[in-house]
Amino acid sequence: SVSLCFFFVSKIPARAGDLRKATISQKTVSAKAGQTTDLTAVAPAGAQWVKLWFYCPKIGVTDVVIDKVAMSSSGAPAAEAAPSAPAAAVTETAAPVGPVPEGNLLKNPTFADSDGDKNADDWNPYPPGDGDSRVLAPAPGGGLTFKDADTNNGLGIEQWVPVQAGLRYTAS
């Protein structure tokens, strides 16, 4: 099966292996084939980014097409968020401040591959496929083929999105 995960952080980790140390909070739901799956969480104090991650663990297998994904925000910003890292450390990664962002917050929610490199534009495969037993590829007719027949390695695709502490975020 495929899981849909949120990882809230104050700063995007330089190395993928540092995600667990950088995570302020996380939430995961198991996606069900043929059904829309929703994941909702409030960005905690100090959060400036969320990693939206589709993931099949190394012990699992799956063969699905993810048609599209949407991520939205709602609610009012928290009156006062907990202090975050010093400004110098977050100059390039500061989250937007102000009104609630509208519309789909994700880039390329249909997993299109406009540059022809066989990867969904604006998405990062992690852990990546191998093209054989683990496949992340554009699906015929749109969407993303997510196939994992390897029980020794995981498969995933992720995108980082700026967030505001205190807002509710929903991916579906």
Side-chain angles (χ1 to χ4, degrees):
S1 72
V2 175
S3 295
L4 179 58
C5 313
F6 277 157
F7 289 87
F8 291 96
V9 300
S10 61
K11 183 178 177 184
I12 298 172
R15 294 180 335 110
D18 292 337
L19 178 63
R20 297 270 182 223
K21 289 189 284 185
T23 298
I24 299 170
S25 73
Q26 70 182 65
K27 188 169 183 181
T28 301
V29 296
S30 182
K32 299 188 182 10
Q35 298 179 4
T36 299
T37 301
D38 293 326
L39 174 60
T40 300
V42 173
Q48 294 184 17
W49 293 94
V50 67
K51 172 181 170 172
L52 174 65
W53 190 29
F54 289 96
Y55 179 63
C56 181
K58 65 182 176 182
I59 60 169
V61 295
T62 192
D63 188 357
V64 298
V65 172
I66 302 169
D67 294 322
K68 61 185 174 195
V69 63
M71 185 171 160
S72 60
S73 62
S74 62
E80 187 174 319
S84 59
V90 294
T91 303
E92 295 182 346
T93 60
V97 179
V100 176
E102 295 182 9
N104 194 342
L105 304 178
L106 295 172
K107 297 176 183 175
N108 190 17
T110 59
F111 304 99
D113 175 22
S114 61
D115 59 11
D117 67 355
K118 298 187 180 184
N119 291 306
D121 301 335
D122 300 309
W123 289 88
N124 179 46
Y126 179 76
D130 62 10
D132 184 29
S133 62
R134 293 178 294 128
V135 177
L136 291 171
L144 179 76
T145 297
F146 195 110
K147 177 184 171 186
D148 186 0
D150 179 350
T151 57
N152 294 317
N153 296 288
L155 181 67
I157 192 163
E158 65 186 9
Q159 188 173 129
W160 287 98
V161 179
V163 296
Q164 294 179 46
L167 292 185
R168 179 177 310 282
Y169 291 89
T170 302
S172 58

